[in-house]
Amino acid sequence: MDERHRLLLESPHLQEEKSPRRSSKSSTSTGYILSITSLPACYAASTSSPFNVIDLFDKNTLQGIQTLEGHKDATTSIRTAVNLGGVVQKCLISSGRDGSIKAWDERTNSHSIKTLGYLTTHIKRFTTVTNLGKTQPLLCCDVSPDGLTVAAGTDLQGEEASILYWDPRQPATPLRAHTSTHSDDITTLSFASSKDPETNNNILLSGSTDGLLCTSNADEDDEDEATIQVGNWGCSVSQAGWIQGCPNLDSAAIWAASDMETFSTWQSDLDQLLSLDIRSPVLHQRRTWVTDYLITTHSSSHCYPNPTIFTGSNEGDIAMLSNMNVSVPDAPWGLHKLWTHGHTGVVRSLLWDEENQILVTGGEDGKINSWPIYPVPRDSDETVNDNEDEDEDEAMDVDVSSPKSRKRDLQRDSKRNGKKAKRW
């Protein structure tokens, strides 16, 4: 059926949390919280310009414990590296429009985090991975699983947008630069969780505003030989990542999101499987849910559903969605969880802390909230699928192109343009 991909079916195990467990504010009070990552004792959250700081929040109390100055102009991304330069220890990695990557190491028995010099035991201030002599704003970064390669993506400078690679043990200059993989801003980078079993190479997924998704051999100096696969989505890519536990070559292995709130899945060879406006699956039955934007997608070998898609409303509510088969173009969607009344306005960032069963969210209201996130029963999608036939006629009677506005504290944007594309 042509409209099956627009179906959003309510899970019989649907749970709603109507208030956060804990809440705190950015040190800037008014800065948007753009990204969140988890460290051993705290959560790190980056804020928007003109502040650009990175706030640290205690995991137990969610109280602010330290503020890092971040990057000049903009802190564009933050990541947690479990291995850096051969040192197996979780540390915070950040990139900025100042052309640098900074590694921040969480000192044991202390909340203090300072910039760490690589392969040393003493603290150095502001040891950064910088493209010396040619500063290019960096929009994203990631670290390979073995910790021996750091990658960053630049914005378009003249006719070049580059993927830069460094050895973190020798950070003064890049090992290599790939300048023809993309022709516009490189917005997202993600290393595969393990090396290619056949070649033993690190594989990097990249996305760009040029509409391309690419996989590359991150260990190859010759760029002509480095590109593995290219997929053309035809719209500006804002986020992308790997789907963990892909069972076979025909299954979805990669997900991507665009600035136009479209969502897609791809095989490992970057053949597209699914592409739709994430706002089109709506629910108008016993309960109403209308998506305004995609927040992010989460995938791990332990999470369920996998992948899990988190969407938001302009009022600040959050939903957990899943597609019953992301490897086909027309499978219906399921609504599993809701978190409401925690934010006012757009939710910009989200982290699923699986180990502690906590969902951490940050928004344009400058708030960071922690919520309980309990496991979804493994039979949830099967139960929803069993009820699909009886709910399908009712669901299909809904005019999904013109959903009724939800009424709460804020008026919905009637054009439903989603959240702003700019992420810093």
Side-chain angles (χ1 to χ4, degrees):
M1 183 184 64
D2 292 339
E3 300 295 331
R4 280 167 56 91
H5 71 283
R6 288 187 169 187
L7 283 176
L8 179 60
L9 305 174
E10 180 179 330
S11 167
H13 307 291
L14 178 67
Q15 299 171 343
E16 180 176 0
E17 298 292 336
K18 295 186 177 181
S19 63
R21 180 177 291 174
R22 292 181 178 85
S23 184
S24 191
K25 290 281 286 186
S26 162
S27 62
T28 67
S29 296
T30 58
Y32 296 175
I33 295 179
L34 298 182
S35 185
I36 304 170
T37 192
S38 178
L39 296 167
C42 62
Y43 298 115
S46 63
T47 58
S48 59
S49 296
F51 308 103
N52 309 322
V53 299
I54 303 171
D55 288 319
L56 307 181
F57 298 90
D58 182 86
K59 281 190 172 181
N60 294 321
T61 65
L62 210 64
Q63 294 303 301
I65 56 177
Q66 191 178 354
T67 298
L68 311 177
E69 64 180 1
H71 293 259
K72 183 180 179 180
D73 297 330
T75 300
T76 54
S77 70
I78 57 176
R79 294 272 194 172
T80 298
V82 297
N83 183 349
L84 187 65
V87 179
V88 181
Q89 179 182 350
K90 284 188 176 181
C91 64
L92 177 67
I93 305 294
S94 62
S95 65
R97 294 191 68 87
D98 57 5
S100 72
I101 294 173
K102 295 181 180 179
W104 313 80
D105 179 54
E106 187 176 23
R107 300 282 79 187
T108 56
N109 302 318
S110 171
H111 288 312
S112 178
I113 293 184
K114 298 182 184 296
T115 309
L116 184 68
Y118 297 109
L119 294 188
T120 63
T121 57
H122 63 284
I123 297 298
K124 293 183 180 179
R125 293 192 61 80
F126 301 108
T127 301
T128 61
V129 182
T130 308
N131 188 10
L132 296 178
K134 188 179 179 182
T135 301
Q136 289 182 275
L138 303 180
L139 305 184
C140 52
C141 67
D142 200 13
V143 180
S144 63
D146 60 11
L148 300 180
T149 305
V150 175
T154 75
D155 71 357
L156 183 65
Q157 297 285 304
E159 297 182 355
E160 284 189 358
S162 304
I163 301 177
L164 305 175
Y165 296 94
W166 290 269
D167 181 339
R169 298 165 297 183
Q170 300 174 349
T173 56
L175 291 171
R176 65 189 70 92
H178 290 173
T179 59
S180 60
T181 307
H182 292 283
S183 60
D184 210 334
D185 295 354
I186 297 168
T187 54
T188 180
L189 294 176
S190 179
F191 277 99
S193 59
S194 60
K195 290 188 174 185
D196 185 291
E198 295 183 0
T199 64
N200 199 37
N201 292 322
N202 286 301
I203 307 301
L204 183 69
L205 170 67
S206 59
S208 167
T209 55
D210 63 8
L212 300 183
L213 289 165
C214 299
T215 53
S216 302
N217 175 3
D219 303 325
E220 174 60 57
D221 291 327
D222 186 345
E223 184 169 10
D224 292 335
E225 299 295 328
T227 301
I228 301 172
Q229 301 289 348
V230 178
N232 188 352
W233 196 7
C235 55
S236 177
V237 179
S238 58
Q239 301 181 63
W242 300 90
I243 298 174
Q244 305 300 324
C246 177
N248 54 64
L249 294 176
D250 295 327
S251 300
I254 291 167
W255 65 270
S258 80
D259 292 335
M260 300 302 293
E261 309 305 342
T262 46
F263 174 82
S264 61
T265 59
W266 307 71
Q267 293 176 339
S268 57
D269 61 3
L270 288 177
D271 279 346
Q272 189 180 99
L273 298 171
L274 164 70
S275 180
L276 84 161
D277 189 327
I278 197 62
R279 299 167 295 185
S280 62
V282 296
L283 180 66
H284 287 299
Q285 296 177 32
R286 294 177 292 272
R287 181 187 301 270
T288 294
W289 173 260
V290 178
T291 290
D292 286 310
Y293 51 89
L294 181 132
I295 304 172
T296 193
T297 296
H298 177 90
S299 178
S300 77
S301 57
H302 305 292
C303 77
Y304 183 81
N306 183 29
T308 301
I309 295 91
F310 291 96
T311 67
S313 73
N314 287 336
E315 292 84 2
D317 296 339
I318 303 157
M320 173 195 280
L321 307 183
S322 72
N323 185 275
M324 294 178 189
N325 187 351
V326 292
S327 297
V328 299
D330 61 351
W333 292 73
L335 172 65
H336 300 280
K337 295 180 185 293
L338 291 169
W339 296 267
T340 61
H341 301 86
H343 292 279
T344 55
V346 170
V347 178
R348 284 275 184 163
S349 53
L350 180 149
L351 169 74
W352 183 354
D353 182 352
E354 291 187 54
E355 180 180 357
N356 296 301
Q357 294 189 354
I358 295 293
L359 191 75
V360 187
T361 59
E364 292 187 357
D365 54 8
K367 292 174 65 177
I368 182 169
N369 294 328
S370 64
W371 314 74
I373 179 168
Y374 302 112
V376 174
R378 288 276 174 174
D379 65 346
S380 184
D381 278 347
E382 295 178 6
T383 306
V384 171
N385 197 42
D386 289 341
N387 295 331
E388 178 187 340
D389 290 339
E390 61 186 67
D391 290 344
E392 186 172 314
D393 290 339
E394 180 182 355
M396 291 309 301
D397 287 339
V398 177
D399 179 6
V400 295
S401 63
S402 303
K404 297 179 181 178
S405 296
R406 296 176 61 215
K407 293 183 179 179
R408 268 197 37 205
D409 298 332
L410 299 178
Q411 184 178 3
R412 177 176 303 281
D413 177 1
S414 61
K415 294 184 180 180
R416 300 184 69 210
N417 288 325
K419 66 178 183 292
K420 291 170 61 180
K422 186 177 179 181
R423 299 187 66 81
W424 49 84

